[in-house]
Structure formats: C-alpha cells, structure tokens
Amino acid sequence: MNEVLKELGIDSRAVEAAQAVEPRLRPLFSEIERRESANQARVLAAFRKHRISAAHFMPTSGYGYDDMGRDTLDEVFADVFGTEAALVRPHFISGTHTLTVMLFSVLRPGDMLLSVTGDPYDTLIDVICGEEGGSLKEFGISYGKVDLKNDTFDYEKIEEALQNPKVRAVFVTRSKGYAWRESFSVEDMAKLAEFVRVRRSDVLILVDNCYGEFVGTEEPAFADLFAGSLIKNPGGGLAPSGGYIAGKAEYVRLAADRLTAPGLGLHGGANFGVMKDLYLGFFLAPHVVAEAVKCAVFCAALMEKLGYDVCPRPADMRSDIIEAIRFGSAERVIAFCKGLQAASPIDSHVSPEPWAMPGYADAVIMAAGAFTQGSSIEISADGPIRPPYVAYMQGGLTYESGKLAILKAASEVLKVE
Ligand SMILES: *Cc1c(COP(=O)(O)O)cnc(C)c1O
C-alpha cells in the first residue's frame, strides 16, 4: 500500500472498499459539478453587476457608517439568493445567534411560533422555550410544533395548528440536523409555504437554511426570511465568523434593527477588515460546497460498503452537506470522530472526547480540526452520545483532503469492530 496512506494509519480494507466504490461515484459527481457551474455563474454575475473592486475590501472602524463593502455585500447575497434584501454581518457570532435575531425581529408578545419540522435544531430550544436568559417564552411568545409524518410535512396537523389565530410565523428547518431523514428540498419547502399562505396570508414563513446553501441551485427565496451561518456553506471556508439573514426587505430591516438597535438598522457596524474574506469566501462557496457534497457522497458509499446504514444513501437527493452514519455503538461513533480529527489539517494531534456542550441535551463528541474554530464547512464530524449512535459528517474544503480524513475515520472504526 502507498507509504503516505500507511503513515496516516489507513487500513488496507478501507482503501480496498474505496477503490471498489469510487468509479461508481463519477456520474453523481458530474451532477454535483453541474449545480456548481450554475451557482458559480450566479455569484459571478452578482460580482459583475455590483462592480466589486478593491475599494469594497477597505477596513472600517467605529460606527461604520457608509461602509460600501458591507452594504454592497448585502446586495450581492440578495441577488445570488434571489431575495429583495440581505443582512450579512461578521457580528453574528454563530448560526444560533443569527437564527435568534431572525426570530426576535419579527415575533412580538402574544404571538406564537409554529415549527412544522418537529423540534428545531438543539441549540434553538433554549432560545425558544428556555426559562431564563430572555427566551421567546419569557417575552410571552408561545411555541407550537407539528412533528413530521413519514419524514415529511404533516399537512393535516399543520392545517389544524394554523387555526390558532396566535400563530404569527411558521418555522421550517431545511437540514436534518441530528435526525435520520432526508433534508427538505427547496421545492418541498416552497410547496409547504404555498399551503400555509393559502390558509393564512398573515403568517410569516421563516427558514433555518444552515448547511443548505449552494447544495441545489436555488435558495428558499419564497420565505419571508431565511438565515444561515458564514462558518458553514456561504463563507466558503474563508469567512472568519458571521451569519446572514435574507428575504423580504421590510423584515430584513427589522432583523437589522434587532441585531443593532431600533432605528440604527442596516447603517451601522464596522467591518474590522474582514470584507475581502467575506467576498472571496462567498465567491469560492459554490466550489467549496460542491467539494463538501462530494465528500458526503464518498463517505456514504464507503461506509455503506463497510456494512453501515447511511443517510442519505450515495445517490439520494441532497439538500444539505450532512452525511449520517448509524454505528449502533458509542465506541464506533467515538472512533470515527477521533479518526477524522487525526487526519484533519489543524489539531491532528489532539483527540476529541464526548462532553456536555452548552445548548445540547446529551453529551456530544465533535471532531473539528479546522482553520476557523468550529467551522463545519471544513471537514468535521459530530454525534450525540445516545442510541442509535449516529455520527454526522460534513464538510471538506477539498475532496482529496476530505477523502483522506474519511478513510482515516473508517480505519479507526474497523479497529474497534
Ligand atoms: C449549525 C446549525 C445551527 C446552529 O448554528 P451554530 O453556528 O452551531 O450555532 C442551526 N440549525 C442548523 C440546521 C444547523 O445546522
């Protein structure tokens, strides 16, 4: 076997399995590349339309009034995502923060938020129903949810729930998060939005778009607002921090008022010199996301070949970059994450352990050997330590580096089998 692979500690059984599956992935990769081309063309068109130049990369400080780089990046995102407006800021500290701003910007005391994809992402539970810290609940905003039925929208129950006049917004999580199902395509979500609007034209549609950007060729522009993290897909691996909220102009303005202060809205916020990385990251994002999706497809094919159930399966429809592998034991989840970390470019020498992360219900193990701390467009894996012991793998800035990390992760699993 190749010396480099041996030095990395890659098991010959993993290499053989990879050699068996890789030729079959070519047609799938061609489809991924077709989407990448369409997305790249849209991004390039927006850069040309807005005449992006070095002047847009100038650092600003203080209040950040008249920050041309910041204001134009908002327009570039809005054009690429097909929305009226967007708020793109390094001041959002994470996806959770961005989604929190989205929720607080449009909900008012007495309103009800209705999640129609079961409970939202783990870290949003405290935001919505926490007993302290200024949750929606503490502000008198109630929460209702409709669980999925056969892994899709339960239209009957949604119709029932919409009869409550308090419902002000319907919340849709595009990605599967820590669930074993397909993520929702933009088309499916658009149908749901239509169903809601026909019954309640006064109800807003809000989408958690994390992990979804550029996986297909459209974003959920039908929504009143959708949001995501810049240390996932749309940051292209280069954004040092941040998030975006996009959608209808009047609600994007409210989101800006919530991030800053009522009345300050879109007009303040120094850029601290990160604009070039935000522009370059967004320019690279269609390619980086395509590489990450290829890593997910490779991981699916390899782990399936090694005898594990995976979701989605290699040729299934994808609407996010996540690959879930059902290991059936905590030991194998831990081995997979440790292996992935050991073949990451940063912190390859440290070994992740399960821990009680703030915002998560169970102990979680996270492999994150990333240039940007916690960035999950870079190769990463995590899993809550609870049955049925599923690991979630995502990212990979380049297919070749992601593939090595996945081979190493599989090798560590083979060791504990
Ligand atoms: C990552 C993620 C979040 C939260 O983002 P953080 O940056 O981890 O706070 C919310 N929803 C979904 C679907 C996510 O994937």
Side-chain angles (χ1 to χ4, degrees), residues 97-384:
H97 180 206
T98 313
L99 290 157
T100 299
V101 168
M102 176 174 81
L103 294 172
F104 275 89
S105 65
V106 293
L107 293 165
R108 296 292 179 266
D111 288 347
M112 180 189 226
L113 175 69
L114 179 69
S115 173
V116 294
T117 43
D119 272 324
Y121 191 77
D122 287 34
T123 58
L124 290 175
I125 304 285
D126 280 348
V127 174
I128 295 168
C129 352
E131 298 296 338
E132 56 180 23
S135 65
L136 289 179
K137 182 179 173 183
E138 284 187 278
F139 281 93
I141 297 158
S142 56
Y143 169 62
K145 70 160 170 169
V146 176
D147 285 319
L148 298 175
K149 186 178 169 188
N150 303 325
D151 290 341
T152 190
F153 304 116
D154 186 342
Y155 281 105
E156 231 171 88
K157 291 261 165 60
I158 294 170
E159 179 151 44
E160 245 171 67
L162 285 172
Q163 283 165 18
N164 184 337
K166 285 187 157 186
V167 174
R168 169 64 176 145
V170 158
F171 188 74
V172 183
T173 307
R174 172 177 180 170
S175 166
K176 62 182 133 333
Y178 287 156
W180 190 269
R181 62 163 174 86
E182 269 188 4
S183 44
F184 291 107
S185 69
V186 171
E187 210 183 350
D188 288 342
M189 294 188 290
K191 259 185 227 151
L192 179 270
E194 179 64 22
F195 180 88
V196 172
R197 285 190 173 125
V198 164
R199 283 153 187 84
R200 287 285 302 276
S201 57
D202 58 324
V203 163
L204 302 178
I205 311 284
L206 308 177
V207 176
D208 174 352
N209 202 37
C210 280
Y211 282 138
E213 301 88 356
F214 295 127
V215 175
T217 53
E218 272 183 79
E219 301 307 327
F222 57 81
D224 293 285
L225 288 178
F226 62 96
S229 164
L230 294 189
I231 62 167
K232 294 179 179 174
N233 306 15
L238 271 181
S241 170
Y244 75 87
I245 300 176
K248 306 247 165 77
E250 61 179 303
Y251 303 123
V252 170
R253 269 196 301 275
L254 285 176
D257 273 343
R258 180 48 52 197
L259 172 65
T260 59
L264 295 188
L266 288 153
H267 304 294
N271 72 45
F272 306 122
V274 301
M275 294 319 293
K276 179 166 162 274
D277 284 344
L278 298 189
Y279 277 99
L280 182 52
F282 194 57
F283 182 74
L284 294 176
H287 178 64
V288 171
V289 171
E291 297 290 284
V293 176
K294 287 177 184 175
C295 288
V297 170
F298 172 74
C299 180
L302 179 72
M303 297 317 291
E304 197 171 69
K305 180 82 182 167
L306 294 174
Y308 293 99
D309 283 338
V310 296
C311 180
R313 299 193 56 206
D316 284 350
M317 184 285 293
R318 280 167 200 270
S319 189
D320 66 28
I321 62 170
I322 303 176
E323 186 60 41
I325 311 117
R326 179 151 46 204
F327 282 117
S329 88
E331 211 186 3
R332 286 193 284 262
V333 170
I334 294 167
F336 185 85
C337 291
K338 284 183 188 259
L340 199 99
Q341 176 94 31
S344 296
I346 308 302
D347 291 335
S348 58
H349 54 287
V350 306
S351 190
E353 298 290 340
W355 65 299
M357 269 187 68
Y360 292 84
D362 299 273
V364 178
I365 183 166
M366 296 211 164
F371 288 86
T372 298
Q373 188 193 61
S375 164
S376 45
I377 186 62
E378 301 184 47
I379 193 85
S380 49
D382 43 63

